[in-house]
Amino acid sequence: EKRITDETPVRTLPRRNYPNWAIAASIALLVGFGWLGYHNFFGSNYADLYQENFQEYPNTVYTITRSDAVESIEREGFAAYEAGNYKTAIDNFEKIPPKNQKPYLDFYRAQSYLQIDKTEEAKKLFKTNIRNGSAFVPESHWYLALTYLREKDTENALLQLQALTTRYDYNKEKASTLLQELE
């Protein structure tokens, strides 16, 4: 019996690491749920911030009246803009020949693009407006910041809001409040 015991190797069961893996998995789940909970309950809700602060910019450059005898593409564009027909407004604004383009048209085209959820086109036009120094530079900063906010691009939204609050008075109070919420 002793000889058989000595010749037969003793089989040991491999040590199981299940308890260690279970602990590691539990910690990973707690961290993951904690992160999700923090961002859902305490982080900024970008969609809400966008909705609370976005208002369509009114037509302040082209007065539309019923007695207008002059029919023009620009008038049709602004009439469509005021009526909420943003695609038609864009089409009409783009039909205006380059030599007749006015600096404010880019701003209203950008507004129209925002309304139909074409944010990339809107951002390009707002940036062009800022670069060209048109009359709507402060407004362009504001709406560009809101566009970045909508896309959850906090860094660029903060840059636009800081530029707005340091150089202009347009929506300064709202911009300051948004800055505080995002920082």
Side-chain angles (χ1 to χ4, degrees):
E1 216 173 271
K2 185 176 179 185
R3 188 176 45 101
I4 293 175
T5 317
D6 290 340
E7 290 176 7
T8 312
V10 178
R11 290 194 314 172
T12 57
L13 294 174
R15 187 165 182 231
R16 305 208 182 239
N17 287 331
Y18 294 124
N20 293 341
W21 284 106
I23 291 170
S26 298
I27 291 171
L29 283 172
L30 283 173
V31 169
F33 284 132
W35 183 82
L36 283 173
Y38 174 78
H39 283 285
N40 284 336
F41 297 116
F42 300 111
S44 298
N45 187 340
Y46 297 104
D48 287 346
L49 288 175
Y50 176 81
Q51 289 298 331
E52 288 169 8
N53 290 288
F54 181 81
Q55 280 186 317
E56 175 189 322
Y57 195 82
N59 169 14
T60 60
V61 295
Y62 197 100
T63 306
I64 306 291
T65 59
R66 289 183 182 186
S67 63
D68 278 348
V70 179
E71 287 293 322
S72 70
I73 298 171
E74 185 175 2
R75 182 194 184 287
E76 290 175 22
F78 277 105
Y81 180 84
E82 286 185 4
N85 299 328
Y86 302 108
K87 179 73 175 116
T88 304
I90 292 168
D91 291 341
N92 285 322
F93 292 149
E94 290 176 350
K95 284 180 190 175
I96 298 171
K99 65 179 180 166
N100 296 338
Q101 288 277 331
K102 299 196 174 80
Y104 55 78
L105 289 176
D106 282 341
F107 179 76
Y108 284 98
R109 277 182 33 221
Q111 286 288 315
S112 298
Y113 277 124
L114 273 183
Q115 295 290 347
I116 61 172
D117 294 327
K118 291 193 175 186
T119 56
E120 287 306 312
E121 290 88 345
K123 286 192 307 190
K124 287 177 195 172
L125 290 168
F126 285 134
K127 288 176 185 177
T128 300
N129 224 19
I130 292 168
R131 192 173 43 254
N132 292 341
S134 79
F136 291 100
V137 170
E139 292 87 347
S140 294
H141 278 294
W142 172 251
Y143 285 101
L144 189 55
L146 290 179
T147 304
Y148 284 128
L149 188 65
R150 183 179 190 182
E151 295 174 341
K152 299 179 182 178
D153 184 352
T154 309
E155 185 178 326
N156 282 318
L158 286 171
L159 289 173
Q160 295 302 318
L161 290 169
Q162 288 166 348
L164 180 63
T165 56
T166 56
R167 294 185 219 145
Y168 306 102
D169 288 331
Y170 179 77
N171 276 351
K172 193 170 192 167
E173 225 175 274
K174 286 183 176 182
S176 296
T177 304
L178 261 179
L179 273 170
Q180 289 174 355
E181 287 187 43
L182 294 175
E183 290 178 333

